[in-house]
């Protein structure tokens, strides 16, 4: 396994995702002789995991079962140990496309944070691209390095421990794209510009507050970036439910077929022929929005470094 | 490699480029002496050849392009502006220039910039407008009279934005942020073996190809007579990208799955060229059944039609190839041989693709089509290895609700998620930041999930999970207890 290549079977040293049920999962480092506790009982790595196919159902000691999934940046994002606030896949998707990333792209990122976006960027630019990521917090920088090594992607990423606003990305005239997720991105726009290739490139800044966006846009304009565009993306998830609605009893009409008329004419009323006159119900499938959803993550400001 | 990259930065004859004016895009082939109409303006691209992508051009009065350097901001001399609009009356007479005056200016070939300046000078209310209103006025006029066009290199970002704005119907209203989600949820990357089924003019295919960078393989499943790749060709991918691009007719999927696919039936690869046109017009309802059904009607008439079109193709190609070959008879013989060769090649390619699919180890499945997603998913998922992502796009939510239910019944999938994204753009200007007035009403829905090993004959467990999903949370605990 690696985060940039699929493998068929689980091997010693892999990071695998234990999938317990709806939305419930956690990562596990597979080790010869290792054990993992789940609510369905123990998983013994040597016998239950190593050599098994990814996607297999593994029966735990109490008889319950889980699925073992191959890691992907998206699964990692929802399972990684948080050291900071992280970016989620919805924003990451738009960032990746709008920065025009693809295999071979050279990307600069700051800060590294918990490495949620980093993994996705590395996935996209592999096998010939590279990620230069800058994190001013020493412990976080080291932790990220360690994770990249464990995930078999260290050759695709360089982690630098410095302040991007003061010292920049440590590279110049090399990047196709720059991504900023720092409190004062406007202070790093100049560095971003010099990190980008002379022939141009794309930039994105992520900020939760509109005041930050305001200052960033001004800085971008000042440094000659064009196509400055701010957007926001919201994910709406739906639960699929079968809903039954009761038909109100309006009393017996003079012609008694008037109330049945509705029932029988409703095409979505399959599977419930037992709708009786007194207590009729209509069943249908619906996508019900979650009770609560993420209303705001951050504004994404994109721009192009143009030729002149 | 580096030299090649540098070279590809320049606009070359025969390239597919994208014209950009403001937020409007148009993809065009770069050809000499070919008039292009873009945003009500006609011009030739000849002068653009050799310039670097990203260059901004001005359209001269004779329809040529002239590269334009950084826009020297005409910083208006010590601005004079009002504070509010209490005294501004709309009498329709604030502009002293008449339509005819403006037309005369244009006909004289005066630069757009100067026309805008004249309009400002001849507006009696301009000085009374607030600073913001003045800005807005200038912007509006500039947009109308200053014809600057930027030529950019195509990318998924640009092409998907362009298609969504210009021809949303052709890509079944797949908004660009939704496409972005598909690529991420599908973990599309170099080295994958992807199965793609799309009726988005080849836009989704192109996006996948861009993300795979020529590494790995793609099998495109196509309905009708052949895959549509109009949008794919706009990307201008290098030739090697097509080496591992395969295609397989949707109508052979069932026979492939049943193991009854035989090479003999293959030559008539496209059983219904006639149908494709109908499909283009959206008459697809009956086609859905044929996806599920097992009918193998490679009728003789349609085969005839294909042969005809094939002949057409070969003639075209030969005409280019061998213009000097005067001997007609020889050419005819060549045609027959060419046709046979082509048929043989097609057969060979199909056999190869079928073999690739039969391995049932694809690394992902992306579906974005006008067909009902359920039958597509139930069949095409067979080709995907366990622990791999799949994503289905549908313009409407309801078919995905059904698809969700059917996948639960089938089992072999986890982490099913039905979602939609909302996209909101902002105007960010000092003291005037706010969400843009209009936003897109809908960009379609996605159903995504991950495959797992399907244990046959024990579907009750997957039903259990389905139950879990539908029960309110209070009941969910009980169900979970059961499965321990």
């Amino acid at each position: 396994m690696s985060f940039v290549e699929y493998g068929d079977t689980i091997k010693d040293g892999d990071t695998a995702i234990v999938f317990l049920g709806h939305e419930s999962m956690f990562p596990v480092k597979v080790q010869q002789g290792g054990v993992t506790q789940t609510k369905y009982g123990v998983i013994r790595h040597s016998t239950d995991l190593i050599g098994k196919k990814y996607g297999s159902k593994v029966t735990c000691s109490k008889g319950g079962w889980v699925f073992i999934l191959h890691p992907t940046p998206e699964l990692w994002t929802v399972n990684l140990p948080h050291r900071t606030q992280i970016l989620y896949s919805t924003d990451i998707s738009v960032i990746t496309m709008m920065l025009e990333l693809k295999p071979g792209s050279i990307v600069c990122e700051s800060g590294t944070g918990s490495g949620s976006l980093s993994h996705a960027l590395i996935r996209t630019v592999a096998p010939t691209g590279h990620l230069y990521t800058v994190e001013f917090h020493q412990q976080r920088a080291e932790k990220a390095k360690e994770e990249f090594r464990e995930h078999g992607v260290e050759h695709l990423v360089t982690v630098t421990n410095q302040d991007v606003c003061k010292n920049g990305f440590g590279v110049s005239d090399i990047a196709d794209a720059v991504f900023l997720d720092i409190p004062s991105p406007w202070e790093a726009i100049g560095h971003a510009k010099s990190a980008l290739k002379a022939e141009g490139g794309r930039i994105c800044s992520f900020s939760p507050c509109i005041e930050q966006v305001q200052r960033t846009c001004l800085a971008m304009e000042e440094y000659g970036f064009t196509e400055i565009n701010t957007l926001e993306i919201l994910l709406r998830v739906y639960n699929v439910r079968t809903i039954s609605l009761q038909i109100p009893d309006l009393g017996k009409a003079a012609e008694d077929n008037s109330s049945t008329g509705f029932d029988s004419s409703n095409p979505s009323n399959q599977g419930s022929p037992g709708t009786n006159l007194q207590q009729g119900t209509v069943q249908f499938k619906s996508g019900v929005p979650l009770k609560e959803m993420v209303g705001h993550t951050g504004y994404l400001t994109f721009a192009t470094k143009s030729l002149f | 490699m580096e030299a090649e990259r540098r070279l590809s930065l320049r606009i070359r004859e025969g390239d597919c480029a994208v014209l950009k004016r403001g937020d409007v895009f148009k993809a065009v082939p770069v050809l000499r002496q070919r008039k292009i109409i873009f945003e009500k303006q006609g011009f030739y691209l000849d002068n653009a050849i050799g310039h670097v992508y990203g260059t901004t051009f001005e359209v001269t009065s004779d329809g040529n392009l002239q590269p334009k350097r950084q826009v020297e901001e005409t910083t208006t001399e010590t601005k004079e502006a009002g504070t509010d609009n209490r005294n501004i009356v709309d009498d329709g007479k604030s502009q002293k220039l008449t339509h005819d005056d403006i037309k005369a200016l244009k006909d004289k070939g005066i630069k757009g910039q100067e026309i805008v300046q004249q309009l400002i000078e001849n507006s009696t209310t301009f000085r009374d407008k607030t600073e913001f209103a003045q800005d807005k006025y200038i912007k509006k006029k500039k947009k109308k009279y200053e014809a600057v066009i930027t030529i950019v290199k195509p990318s998924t970002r640009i092409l998907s934005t362009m298609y969504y704005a210009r021809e949303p119907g052709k890509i079944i209203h797949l908004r660009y942020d939704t496409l972005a989600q598909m690529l991420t949820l599908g973990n599309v990357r170099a080295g994958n073996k992807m199965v793609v089924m799309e009726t988005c003019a080849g836009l989704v295919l192109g996006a996948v190809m861009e993300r795979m960078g020529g590494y790995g393989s793609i099998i495109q499943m196509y309905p009708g007579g052949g895959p549509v790749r109009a949008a794919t060709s706009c990307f201008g991918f290098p030739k090697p990208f097509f080496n591992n691009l395969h295609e397989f007719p949707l109508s052979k999927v069932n026979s492939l799955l049943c193991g009854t696919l035989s090479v003999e039936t293959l030559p008539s690869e496209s059983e219904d060229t006639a149908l494709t046109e109908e499909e283009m017009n959206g008459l697809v309802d009956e086609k859905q059944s044929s996806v599920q059904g097992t009918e193998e009607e490679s009728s003789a008439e349609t085969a005839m039609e294909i042969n005809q079109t094939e002949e057409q193709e070969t003639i075209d190609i030969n005409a280019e190839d061998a213009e000097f070959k005067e001997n007609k008879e020889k050419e005819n013989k060549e045609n027959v041989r060419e046709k046979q060769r082509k048929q043989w090649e097609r057969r060979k390619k199909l056999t190869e693709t079928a073999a690739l699919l039969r391995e049932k180890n694809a690394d992902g499945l992306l579906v974005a089509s006008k067909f009902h997603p359920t039958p597509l998913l139930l069949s095409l998922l067979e080709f995907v290895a366990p622990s791999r992502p799949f994503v289905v796009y549908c313009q409407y939510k309801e078919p995905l609700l059904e698809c969700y239910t059917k996948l639960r019944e089938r089992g072999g999938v986890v982490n099913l998620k039905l979602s939609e994204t909302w996209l909101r753009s902002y105007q960010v200007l000092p003291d005037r930041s706010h969400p843009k007035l209009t936003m897109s009403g809908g960009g379609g829905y996605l159903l995504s999930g991950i495959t797992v090993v399907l244990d046959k004959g024990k579907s009750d467990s997957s039903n259990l999970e389905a139950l879990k999903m539908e029960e309110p949370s209070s009941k969910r605990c009980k169900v979970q207890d059961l499965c321990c």
Side-chain angles (χ1 to χ4, degrees):
Chain A
M1 143 293 16
S2 140
F3 271 67
V4 289
E5 205 180 358
Y6 281 119
D8 281 340
T9 54
I10 306 165
K11 289 195 259 321
D12 190 15
D14 279 7
T15 299
I17 307 291
V18 179
F19 186 90
L20 294 140
H22 179 63
E23 294 275 286
S24 161
M25 52 186 140
F26 60 85
V28 62
K29 216 184 292 172
V30 179
Q31 278 169 321
Q32 200 68 250
V35 288
T36 299
Q37 294 288 345
T38 76
K39 60 178 171 182
Y40 303 131
V42 174
I43 303 172
R44 291 178 204 289
H45 295 192
S46 310
T47 51
D48 296 339
L49 299 182
I50 295 173
K52 287 260 176 69
K53 252 187 136 163
Y54 274 109
S56 303
K57 189 187 257 186
V58 169
T59 310
C60 309
S61 62
K62 287 189 201 160
W65 41 260
V66 297
F67 285 107
I68 308 297
L69 301 181
H70 197 289
T72 63
E74 286 59 55
L75 286 174
W76 182 246
T77 287
V78 291
N79 286 298
L80 56 82
H82 281 225
R83 303 184 281 274
T84 55
Q85 277 270 23
I86 63 161
L87 279 167
Y88 288 94
S89 299
T90 315
D91 285 310
I92 291 173
S93 313
V94 177
I95 292 165
T96 312
M97 184 199 265
M98 291 303 185
L99 288 181
E100 305 192 335
L101 301 183
K102 54 191 179 217
S105 298
I106 309 289
V107 198
C108 290
E109 174 203 32
S110 188
T112 317
S114 307
S116 169
L117 176 70
S118 313
H119 278 82
L121 296 177
I122 293 168
R123 175 262 316 273
T124 303
V125 304
T128 47
H130 200 86
L131 170 69
Y132 293 91
T133 182
V134 175
E135 169 63 53
F136 70 171
H137 192 285
Q138 197 195 341
Q139 203 189 348
R140 280 184 214 146
E142 269 158 26
K143 193 76 198 145
K145 255 186 222 174
E146 192 185 313
E147 267 171 15
F148 294 140
R149 200 174 321 120
E150 264 172 31
H151 295 162
V153 296
E154 59 182 328
H155 58 293
L156 294 163
V157 54
T158 307
V159 186
T160 312
N161 176 214
Q162 65 185 30
D163 185 349
V164 73
C165 296
K166 289 203 182 85
N167 311 105
F169 292 93
V171 290
S172 61
D173 190 18
I174 190 175
D176 297 289
V178 171
F179 176 80
L180 294 169
D181 178 9
I182 52 173
S184 49
W186 56 90
E187 291 176 14
I189 299 295
H191 295 297
K193 192 181 179 183
S194 58
L196 286 165
K197 282 176 180 160
E199 68 231 34
R202 296 275 294 165
I203 186 172
C204 173
S205 169
F206 174 93
S207 298
C209 307
I210 198 75
E211 290 82 1
Q212 292 169 303
V213 176
Q214 192 92 254
R215 297 181 73 166
T216 309
C217 285
L218 283 175
M220 283 175 173
E221 223 165 299
E222 197 182 309
Y223 280 98
F225 282 92
T226 57
E227 276 192 285
I228 303 169
N229 183 21
T230 301
L231 46 89
E232 186 184 21
I233 181 127
L234 292 176
L235 178 72
R236 283 175 69 80
V237 177
Y238 297 95
N239 278 330
V240 180
R241 292 255 168 80
T242 306
I243 313 274
S244 11
L245 288 184
Q246 214 176 343
I247 292 168
D249 180 9
L250 300 175
K252 212 167 159 70
E255 283 121 300
D256 54 359
N257 58 355
S258 59
S259 60
T260 48
F262 176 56
D263 270 0
S264 51
S265 69
N266 192 325
S268 67
N269 194 17
Q270 350 116 320
S272 57
T275 40
N276 60 49
L277 289 175
Q278 305 305 317
Q279 267 206 319
T281 57
V282 177
Q283 280 201 341
F284 60 93
K285 289 240 175 251
S286 179
V288 187
L290 304 188
K291 207 170 142 204
E292 246 180 12
M293 63 175 266
V294 176
H296 179 68
T297 53
Y299 301 104
L300 294 167
T301 302
F302 295 94
T304 304
K305 176 188 173 182
S306 38
L307 284 160
F308 325 112
Chain B
M1 185 76 179
E2 178 61 20
E4 198 179 302
R5 192 184 64 83
R6 293 265 165 200
L7 207 67
S8 75
L9 294 172
R10 303 219 167 249
I11 301 164
R12 285 178 294 183
E13 197 177 352
D15 273 7
C16 187
V18 179
L19 309 176
K20 177 180 184 292
R21 182 175 167 186
D23 294 328
V24 187
F25 294 102
K26 184 179 186 173
V28 292
V30 180
L31 296 169
R32 285 185 196 275
Q33 280 156 38
R34 169 83 69 90
K35 190 164 192 176
I36 304 247
I37 308 279
F38 177 49
E39 290 286 278
K40 293 179 196 157
Q41 268 196 314
F43 50 86
Y44 298 89
L45 290 176
D46 301 46
N47 285 353
I49 295 170
H51 284 281
V52 182
Y53 275 105
T55 307
T56 301
F57 297 90
E58 211 165 353
V59 183
T60 58
S61 48
D62 56 347
N64 277 313
L65 293 178
Q66 199 170 27
K68 190 180 158 94
R69 290 270 144 185
Q70 180 92 48
V71 203
E72 334 81 56
E73 273 306 315
T74 42
T75 28
T76 12
E77 349 62 63
T78 42
K79 273 188 185 169
E80 201 183 316
T83 47
D84 56 39
N85 57 12
R86 73 183 77 189
N87 294 319
I88 296 180
V89 188
D90 182 13
D91 55 3
K93 289 180 214 154
S94 58
Q95 183 53 254
K96 293 279 176 273
L97 292 180
T98 62
H99 274 289
D100 294 335
D101 294 339
I102 297 168
K103 197 172 175 293
L105 284 176
K106 274 208 234 169
D107 290 344
K108 264 193 259 171
I110 284 176
K111 275 194 174 180
Q113 211 172 325
E114 282 156 33
I115 299 181
V116 175
Q117 200 56 41
Q118 296 236 18
L119 285 170
I120 293 170
E121 278 161 20
N122 287 291
S123 163
T124 52
T125 49
F126 186 79
R127 273 165 215 291
D128 299 330
K129 286 177 194 266
T130 65
E131 209 178 303
F132 300 147
Q134 287 182 353
D135 257 14
K136 206 169 164 183
Y137 181 85
I138 296 172
K139 246 188 203 160
K140 225 165 120 186
K141 296 299 172 197
K142 270 191 172 176
K143 201 174 163 189
K144 193 164 173 194
Y145 296 103
E146 280 188 26
V148 287
I149 283 150
T150 310
I151 303 188
V152 294
K153 222 177 157 50
S155 66
T156 303
R157 165 177 79 98
I158 285 162
L159 292 175
S160 59
T161 333
M162 179 189 88
Y163 262 95
Y164 190 72
R166 293 180 78 93
E167 297 181 296
K170 285 207 171 142
I171 54 164
I172 38 174
H173 294 81
L174 170 69
R175 212 210 282 131
Y176 43 95
D177 55 306
T178 313
L179 175 59
Q181 304 300 319
M182 290 187 76
L183 297 169
T184 301
L185 290 170
N187 195 20
V188 179
R189 63 172 174 209
N192 277 6
K193 172 176 174 180
M194 297 297 293
V195 178
V196 177
M197 162 59 205
E198 65 130 285
T199 56
C200 298
L203 179 72
V204 175
L205 177 72
V208 171
M209 286 171 75
E210 185 185 274
R211 283 293 174 89
M212 291 180 55
Y215 303 91
S217 53
I218 305 168
I219 303 154
Q220 183 183 16
M221 316 299 290
Y222 64 86
V228 179
R229 291 178 184 163
T232 320
S233 61
C234 293
F235 282 83
F237 290 125
K239 276 226 176 76
F241 275 42
F242 293 89
N243 291 348
N244 282 312
L245 173 59
H246 310 269
E247 60 258 355
F248 191 83
L250 209 50
S251 54
K252 301 283 184 203
V253 165
N254 273 329
S255 53
L256 179 67
L257 285 171
C258 305
T260 55
L261 183 82
S262 69
V263 197
E264 275 69 50
T265 62
L266 281 179
S268 61
E269 169 215 49
S270 37
E271 35 190 47
D272 38 17
T273 340
L275 254 177
T276 38
E277 261 167 85
E278 268 182 87
E279 282 164 24
M280 291 300 164
N281 299 327
L283 307 169
V284 290
D285 292 1
E286 309 103 323
K287 273 293 283 180
Q288 285 173 8
S289 58
S290 76
V291 180
Q292 290 174 304
T294 46
E295 70 253 76
E296 278 294 313
E297 16 142 24
S298 38
S299 54
E301 311 96 74
T302 45
M304 285 261 290
E305 272 195 50
I306 293 148
N307 286 344
Q308 270 173 8
T309 51
E310 228 169 61
E311 245 160 33
Q312 208 74 49
E313 270 172 42
T314 37
I315 286 166
D316 283 348
I317 286 164
N318 271 352
E320 272 180 18
D321 260 9
E323 267 173 344
F324 39 87
K325 276 183 195 165
E326 310 259 337
N327 194 330
K328 256 214 163 150
E329 235 175 70
K330 198 178 169 191
E331 204 175 280
N332 273 342
K333 259 186 201 167
E334 205 106 301
N335 271 350
V336 175
R337 212 174 302 151
E338 177 79 348
K339 211 163 78 183
Q340 280 176 334
R341 195 183 59 80
K342 266 194 148 183
Q343 220 167 56
W344 181 81
E345 239 170 40
R346 198 180 266 180
R347 203 187 284 199
K348 191 176 147 228
K349 268 178 99 179
L350 262 166
T351 320
E352 278 170 17
T353 313
L356 278 175
L357 287 169
R358 257 192 225 104
E359 291 170 0
K360 299 193 171 187
N361 65 351
D363 293 320
L365 168 69
L366 297 191
V367 176
S369 83
K370 61 192 175 186
F371 300 108
H372 198 295
T374 307
L376 284 174
L377 259 273
L378 292 178
S379 296
L380 298 183
L381 272 179
E382 298 281 322
F383 301 123
V384 183
S387 197
R388 298 294 188 270
F390 62 89
V391 195
V392 203
Y393 167 83
C394 188
Q395 194 184 342
Y396 312 100
K397 203 200 295 177
E398 290 73 12
L400 291 179
L401 295 174
E402 197 210 307
C403 192
Y404 180 102
T405 315
K406 284 281 170 0
L407 284 178
R408 286 260 168 226
E409 281 168 20
R410 171 192 181 264
V413 291
V414 295
N415 214 25
L416 279 186
K417 199 177 235 172
L418 177 60
S419 66
E420 173 198 16
T421 46
W422 282 5
L423 183 69
R424 190 155 212 196
S425 310
Y426 286 81
Q427 165 180 308
V428 181
L429 288 169
D431 298 324
R432 281 159 292 162
S433 298
H434 57 72
K436 292 247 172 87
L437 200 62
T438 53
M439 63 186 269
S440 156
Y445 299 86
L446 293 178
L447 178 63
S448 63
I450 302 172
T451 56
V452 289
V453 173
L454 177 65
D455 52 354
K456 300 232 159 75
K458 210 197 155 201
S459 58
D460 51 352
S461 55
S462 56
N463 278 343
L464 211 61
E465 216 191 331
L467 252 178
K468 245 196 276 182
M469 280 297 302
E470 297 207 352
E471 295 300 322
S473 53
S474 54
K475 278 188 194 169
R476 210 178 281 169
C477 318
K478 278 187 213 159
V479 184
Q480 262 173 2
D481 285 345
L482 270 175
C483 87
C484 291

